[in-house]
Amino acid sequence: MQTPHLLTDIANLLILLAPSAALVSLVLAGISLRRETGGVSFVIEGGFTKWMFWAVVFLTLPGLLTWFSGFGVNMPSLGGSITSWWLASFESDVSSFVQSFVMGRMVPVLAAFMVLRSILDTAEGGNPLPSVFAALFLLGAQTTYTLIQQYNTGTQYATVDVLDSLWTYLASVIMPIAAGLGIFGAIIRFAAGKPAMRLVGVSLAMLCVSGLWYLIEAMAQ
Amino acid sequence: MSFYNGILNLTNWTGNVILPTLAGLLFALAVVRFSRGLAYFQPMYAGLLCLLGSGLLRALETFASQKSWNDPDVYWMSIVTLVDWTCNVIMPLYAALEVAAGGLSLVSGMRIHHTSGWQRHFLAAGLSLLLSGLLRLAEYFVAQGTQGVA
């Protein structure tokens, strides 16, 4: 029995809207980064990890769906054009809204609020970095999206491939830079008469993330 | 715009713009505290560290690259190198500083640090130079006690 056109169109619509959903997920991840732990870390099963995971899932959905063929489920070919003009128009409108309204205008405003928040955090005696990190993440959401697309292998393992590549990117690119911030933080804490050795140890650890991973792996054997 | 560029520029701005500027403030604070007879070493050293931010990061990068990136011992080796550098490079320099301060204190009767006499300066210099020996001595004592109390 052939799949009705309407159902195929709806399935294609959902597949074509997945990139927009991934972008929205990245924006929500940026907001969660500031909200849940103060911004310099993330909670396992917290908002940031959840929305990052969904962003990756949305972008690797076609690869993930190929598992169903492997399970013996007869899959209609998805990802083609939408024949129904009003569904095609709906897809175009939603994509345009996400690009122009959310990414083009809303995200910079949210980032600007985060910068304002960092000043108010400092005024309250807190740390301005969490809000600054959240602002940077929000402003870089589009580039993060492109980065995830580059890591997408398009295979049935695409989701874990992307997560694996993101871990490597975090450990080898972001963490060495964060180590610099850590050592500067240690200097500022020393100047303020607060304990600073913890941040020195953390900076060293940030420079050795891959080595620590292999250490834990060796311990588990 | 990307998160990578953002955090990189934030780090550069903090280390190369803000910290050197704060160094001036800290040196001013050290002078004011010195003029009032208060402890001025912390703001003085903090000012120096502010100017050394990039160099300290390069030092940590060197400590962390003693082994290859996928070696399980890389973190341990980086801590070992940090300890080695502190005890064998920094502490002998500190010893020289303490000897100079002790000599000055002995000759002029002036206290370089308000809590320290010249004896304390010379003792600190000796201990700074004896760190490895003190560690070996402690290890020897512990090794002697492995059989327990008879």
Side-chain angles (χ1 to χ4, degrees), chain A residues 4-93:
Chain A
H5 274 301
L6 183 64
L7 284 181
T8 311
D9 276 353
I10 291 174
N12 282 337
L13 170 75
L14 293 175
I15 292 283
L16 289 172
L17 283 181
S20 301
L23 276 172
V24 173
S25 299
L26 283 174
V27 174
L28 292 172
I31 296 169
S32 298
L33 181 64
R34 172 64 188 88
R35 197 174 51 192
E36 63 188 27
T37 61
V40 291
S41 182
F42 56 85
V43 173
I44 301 297
E45 291 189 63
F48 178 75
T49 47
K50 183 179 74 180
W51 287 117
M52 281 304 291
F53 177 75
W54 280 114
V56 173
V57 167
F58 282 131
L59 272 178
T60 55
L61 203 53
L64 208 54
L65 287 176
T66 57
W67 277 100
F68 287 100
S69 328
F71 297 152
V73 178
N74 186 24
M75 287 285 297
S77 59
L78 295 174
S81 60
I82 303 170
T83 51
S84 167
W85 68 268
W86 56 274
L87 275 179
S89 167
F90 176 73
E91 186 274 323
S92 165
D93 290 345

Side-chain angles (χ1 to χ4, degrees), chain B residues 21-102:
Chain B
T21 311
L22 284 180
L25 192 67
L26 288 165
F27 283 138
L29 190 64
V31 171
V32 169
R33 290 184 69 86
F34 174 74
S35 72
R36 293 184 178 182
L38 300 170
Y40 57 91
F41 278 78
Q42 186 157 1
M44 187 186 75
Y45 283 128
L48 195 64
L49 288 173
C50 283
L51 294 173
L52 290 170
S54 297
L56 288 172
L57 180 60
R58 296 287 97 80
L60 283 194
E61 283 174 353
T62 309
F63 299 157
S65 54
Q66 298 300 309
K67 294 265 184 183
S68 63
W69 61 273
N70 56 355
D71 193 308
D73 286 338
V74 65
Y75 189 57
W76 170 61
M77 275 310 294
S78 59
I79 293 174
V80 167
T81 316
L82 172 68
V83 173
D84 195 31
W85 180 74
T86 306
C87 292
N88 294 327
V89 178
I90 298 300
M91 293 313 284
L93 286 175
Y94 185 70
L97 203 66
E98 285 291 319
V99 167

